[in-house]
Amino acid sequence: MSKILWKSCLVNPVLLGAVLAASFGAASKPAIAAEVETSAPALNQVSQYGAEGSESLSQVTSVSQLSDVQPTDWAFQALQSLVERYGVIAGYPDGRFRGNRALTRYEFAAGLNAALDRVNELIAAGTADLVTKEDLATLQKLQEEFSAELATLRGRVDALEARTAKLESQQFSTTTKLSGEVIFAVTSPLNNPRTAPAGANSNNQIVFQNRVRLALNTSFTGKDLLVTRLDAGNAGPFVNLPGGGPEATQTFNFGNTGGAFALGWLAYYFPLGDKAKVYIPATAGLQYDYAPTISPALDAFDGGSGPLSVFGQRNSIYTIGGGSGIGVNYDLSKNLGVSLGYLASNGATFAANVPTAGNGLFNGSYSALAQLTVTPSDALSVGLTYVNGYRVPGGAIFDTGANTAGGAIGTTLANTPFAGSTSVNSYGVSAAYKFSPKFVVNGWGNYTTATGIGSGLPGAEIWSYALGLGFPDLGKPGNLGGIIVGVQPYLANSGRLGLGPNAAPVHVEGFYKYQLNDNISVTPGVMWISAPGQNSANDSIVIGTLRTTFAF
């Protein structure tokens, strides 16, 4: 420091303490160097100072609040005077002042600037009698000594304020944020299976598919969320596979939009009191959008960060129905919650919103869910789920609201056991146990009964179950390994109904998501399905996929 600074400090040690105290209060992090750096350009030093880590400081009203300041310390009276006269003393969260740390000229200048601001506040507030003539003289000398540093700091602040104003004037919205996900997938059947025991090969080729999701997430209160999602892509499922059902559907196989964006999801979440959360989808709502699926690590909500297949993510019961309606979660206690929901199928023509016979909210396909979720500990979760549903002729049971004959998972017989309207009652249990942060076991089972209205046939019995192993952070943070073994929904009593074989279609899947960075992941994986179409005479389906996901 220069002679002027030292003389000022000797004349008024109290004000020196003020500036030093303000320096530590203004600094983002205590200085790590004891000597002043004078060779680097001023702006670079300021940038380095501003880029250092941060520790929150809290104002103190008494020196006794600072655990490392004792009455015998040489600066005790100065600090005490500063608290009473200026109120510029701040302590660290651990209750210490850390007054023995070194600081740079720029930290001292920042503290001097804070002290000047405080003096100006006192003068403006009519309490100028607290500021002595000696204090003002010392501040003037210090201000002259550090004029270059103060000018640099204030110029930087002005530039930041101008930049902030520009960003605020040009930003898209103060309430809406854009998030997106882009999936590139190279996928192909690996064994070229036959479409029937004595039929021709499927001849599916290696394809390079894509799916794009752009979501506008809007919050009006900070606690609610309006989601408007646009979808585009060319990712359709393979055709002419054995069994002809949707067992091989992957999470990105939602269809071909012809290069145009379409409204993929429109929904609103908001709290109702302290214990209830409400979900209102206007289109493409799903039961697992609000009801806990009890599938940690594996459930990626049909995104690009989990299993490859739709079946491998969660209990099959959550794929029964979807569309427009309402869902509510209510916390009965810390460890017990209930979920209730009603969704009317949208379908290809948005049937829930078409005011014609056989459509609408209460006269077309629907699904109503009730679930009890129990979390006895942080490691264990259990869900008991019931779904009641109705399907118009041709509507699949496991269709996620699409109201089509194809369905999203399971065999064709499980999705459409009857030609006419179908009444559905489904019961599911899901459980998960976290053995450690890096090993999670998921298990689920689903039993569904379906009645063909006016068919005169016995009721259909549909079963599905699976065990999933998740390995979060496998290899490095952000990675995910997974193994799923289970049976896709199949019609167990198809023989009694005169509908053919009833072999269980076993599903085995393995994948490994490697997180390249915060925004890009690569997932190789394979899934194998035996007895597709619940017919053991059919060739197995083996599909290999290399999926790359870009998230922003």
Side-chain angles (χ1 to χ4, degrees), residues 235-266:
F238 291 110
V239 297
N240 298 326
L241 291 177
E247 295 103 313
T249 303
Q250 300 186 70
T251 59
F252 49 86
N253 292 148
F254 78 101
N256 190 342
T257 66
F261 275 96
L263 181 63
W265 183 31
L266 179 62

Side-chain angles (χ1 to χ4, degrees), residues 135-400:
D135 291 347
L136 292 175
T138 303
L139 282 174
Q140 183 178 1
K141 293 178 181 179
L142 291 173
Q143 190 174 9
E144 293 173 356
E145 170 68 17
F146 285 85
S147 59
E149 288 83 0
L150 290 171
T152 302
L153 288 170
R154 288 169 178 168
R156 182 174 174 82
V157 170
D158 291 341
L160 289 174
E161 289 179 348
R163 185 179 179 186
T164 301
K166 181 179 180 180
L167 289 174
E168 289 178 348
S169 64
Q170 296 179 351
Q171 67 182 344
F172 172 73
S173 171
T174 58
T175 59
T176 302
K177 293 184 179 180
L178 173 67
S179 64
E181 181 187 72
V182 179
I183 295 176
F184 290 164
V186 178
T187 181
S188 174
L190 301 180
N191 61 335
N192 198 21
R194 296 174 296 168
T195 59
N201 291 336
S202 63
N203 291 322
N204 280 294
Q205 303 298 307
I206 297 176
V207 290
F208 183 26
Q209 298 182 323
N210 71 84
R211 187 189 72 184
V212 180
R213 283 179 169 178
L214 299 177
L216 299 174
N217 301 311
T218 303
S219 180
F220 304 100
T221 66
K223 296 181 179 179
D224 63 340
L225 179 63
L226 174 65
V227 182
T228 306
R229 195 186 72 205
L230 303 176
D231 298 343
N234 66 351
F238 291 110
V239 297
N240 298 326
L241 291 177
E247 295 103 313
T249 303
Q250 300 186 70
T251 59
F252 49 86
N253 292 148
F254 78 101
N256 190 342
T257 66
F261 275 96
L263 181 63
W265 183 31
L266 179 62
Y268 184 53
Y269 294 86
F270 64 93
L272 189 63
D274 295 332
K275 295 185 177 181
K277 297 179 180 178
V278 182
Y279 168 63
I280 300 179
T283 184
L286 300 165
Q287 300 290 7
Y288 51 84
D289 288 337
Y290 68 96
T293 59
I294 322 296
S295 184
L298 294 181
D299 197 341
F301 303 98
D302 297 337
S305 59
L308 297 174
S309 69
V310 174
F311 171 76
Q313 297 180 104
R314 66 188 77 86
N315 196 317
S316 303
I317 195 171
Y318 298 107
T319 61
I320 299 178
S324 303
I326 186 172
V328 179
N329 288 330
Y330 187 83
D331 296 328
L332 298 173
S333 67
K334 180 181 178 181
N335 306 110
L336 188 64
V338 63
S339 302
L340 302 171
Y342 176 92
L343 298 176
S345 178
N346 292 146
T349 58
F350 294 91
N353 304 317
V354 177
T356 58
N359 293 308
L361 287 171
F362 304 106
N363 197 29
S365 295
Y366 75 86
S367 64
L369 176 145
Q371 176 171 309
L372 187 67
T373 304
V374 185
T375 53
S377 67
D378 293 337
L380 177 63
S381 300
V382 179
L384 303 175
T385 311
Y386 168 72
V387 171
N388 171 263
Y390 173 81
R391 288 292 175 269
V392 297
I397 293 177
F398 302 92
D399 68 345
T400 62

Side-chain angles (χ1 to χ4, degrees), residues 401-425:
N403 200 25
T404 62
I409 59 173
T411 67
T412 299
L413 290 178
N415 276 284
T416 53
F418 307 104
S421 300
T422 304
S423 176
V424 178
N425 289 282

Side-chain angles (χ1 to χ4, degrees), residues 437-438 471-481 512-521:
K438 295 187 177 183
F471 303 91
D473 300 330
L474 181 62
K476 75 169 189 175
N479 291 356
L480 175 64
Y512 180 61
K513 184 195 74 169
Y514 184 80
Q515 197 71 37
L516 293 176
N517 53 44
D518 292 340
N519 304 102
I520 305 174
S521 65

